[in-house]
Amino acid sequence: MVAVVPPARPRKLAKVPFVELADGRLQGVVSSGSDIERVYVSSVTAGDHAYHCSTNNNRPCGGLRGAPCKHLESLADEAVLQYGVDRVARYLRVDAGDGTQTGVELLSRLDARHEPTSAAVVFSRFLRHLAYLELPASTAVLPELHWFPSTGAGR
Ligand SMILES: [Zn+2]
């Protein structure tokens, strides 16, 4: 399949279409590994390192079993690709230490705990982000938009 949106950086856009350091959180949207119709909203709070992962409909992620799930790991890895490990570590207020290079390694250094949060805020930021990406002249299908058959409000 041809990439429709040229990545500014070597990120896996199809897997993690949205990642940001905002609202005191590392947060973003991760596509399901098994179901193309489903996305997960994952976040880690800066400072107290509360994490959560759910579908965009607020269904808890089945991968959360006392530890960050693979979506959170993907999100952290992508954040490190996008922002660099130092910036992500500083934002989350975690001591990256020597030799920490990936988001997964960074996650393992958190004193993390699970705390449910609403996916709605992150998800609406993602939708706004997608709106910026829309290319007026493009007739190609954006894979990222497949998830939102019913969210064409106003656009
Ligand atoms: Zn998850």
Side-chain angles (χ1 to χ4, degrees):
M1 180 179 275
V2 178
V4 191
V5 181
R9 305 163 199 83
R11 292 215 302 108
K12 293 171 242 144
L13 277 176
K15 192 174 178 199
V16 185
F18 183 54
V19 56
E20 65 175 3
L21 300 172
D23 298 338
R25 283 188 297 259
L26 162 62
Q27 59 192 18
V29 171
V30 182
S31 48
S32 163
S34 53
D35 183 353
I36 193 140
E37 301 282 318
R38 194 182 302 159
V39 294
Y40 288 91
V41 174
S42 307
S43 64
V44 180
T45 309
D48 70 357
H49 302 155
Y51 62 85
H52 188 53
C53 181
S54 68
T55 69
N56 53 303
N57 296 322
N58 280 322
R59 263 186 233 132
C61 171
L64 289 175
R65 294 195 183 91
C69 60
K70 64 182 163 83
H71 310 113
L72 279 155
E73 292 181 345
S74 296
L75 181 75
D77 274 343
E78 292 301 294
V80 164
L81 281 180
Q82 175 137 340
Y83 298 106
V85 68
D86 290 341
R87 188 164 162 204
V88 177
R90 254 201 322 275
Y91 192 86
L92 290 178
R93 280 174 260 152
V94 57
D95 177 12
D98 293 331
T100 299
Q101 285 175 0
T102 68
V104 172
E105 288 166 3
L106 202 60
L107 273 186
S108 74
R109 302 185 70 95
L110 300 180
D111 183 20
R113 64 193 168 77
H114 181 221
E115 184 179 296
T117 52
S118 170
V121 175
V122 178
F123 200 68
S124 67
R125 291 176 66 94
F126 172 51
L127 293 179
R128 244 178 297 149
H129 169 78
L130 278 183
Y132 294 134
L133 291 182
E134 272 177 41
L135 306 174
S138 174
T139 54
V141 176
L142 291 173
E144 286 86 348
L145 295 177
H146 280 168
W147 300 313
F148 317 111
S150 60
T151 50
R155 301 224 179 245

